[in-house]
């Protein structure tokens, strides 16, 4: 069976987000910027998601809110996944 979207997002955050708090300790609604995510880290997470799904972030998702919580990133990842299937 495949991995869940949440586990994909958490793995990319863990490897690229450079958070001050372990990703495993964060719930879906925790503020990632409060947990240490920088603007650079957000770009790294975006690139990681794009590479994973082979799809580019749509411009409308390129805003701070998209990267503010794990739940928001899961929503963005699901959209990237749909785009990659449609391509």
């Amino acid at each position: 069976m495949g991995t869940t979207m949440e586990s994909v997002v958490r793995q990319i955050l863990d490897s690229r987000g450079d958070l001050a708090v372990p990703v495993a300790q964060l719930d879906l609604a925790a503020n990632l910027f409060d947990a240490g995510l920088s603007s650079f880290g957000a770009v790294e997470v975006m690139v990681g998601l794009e590479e994973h799904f082979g799809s580019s972030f749509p411009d409308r998702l390129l805003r701070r809110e998209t990267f503010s919580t794990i739940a928001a990133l899961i929503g963005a990842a699901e959209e990237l996944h749909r785009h990659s299937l449609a391509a």
Side-chain angles (χ1 to χ4, degrees):
M1 206 88 146
T3 55
T4 67
M5 201 62 73
E6 180 181 347
S7 67
V8 167
V9 167
R10 285 182 182 275
Q11 187 268 323
I12 290 170
L13 269 171
D14 194 41
S15 65
R16 293 184 180 241
D18 197 28
L19 300 177
V21 178
V23 173
Q25 292 180 11
L26 297 172
D27 67 30
L28 294 178
N31 186 302
L32 295 174
F33 295 104
D34 289 349
L37 185 67
S38 64
S39 296
F40 179 77
V43 170
E44 284 293 302
V45 168
M46 179 191 77
V47 170
L49 288 168
E50 287 180 335
E51 288 174 356
H52 182 84
F53 293 105
S55 183
S56 296
F57 258 70
D59 287 346
R60 64 185 170 65
L61 289 181
L62 296 177
R63 55 188 215 279
R64 185 175 174 90
E65 294 78 28
T66 301
F67 300 90
S68 63
T69 65
I70 292 172
L73 280 170
I74 290 169
E78 287 170 343
E79 186 158 333
L80 287 179
H81 181 62
R82 284 192 300 274
H83 281 273
S84 70
L85 293 176

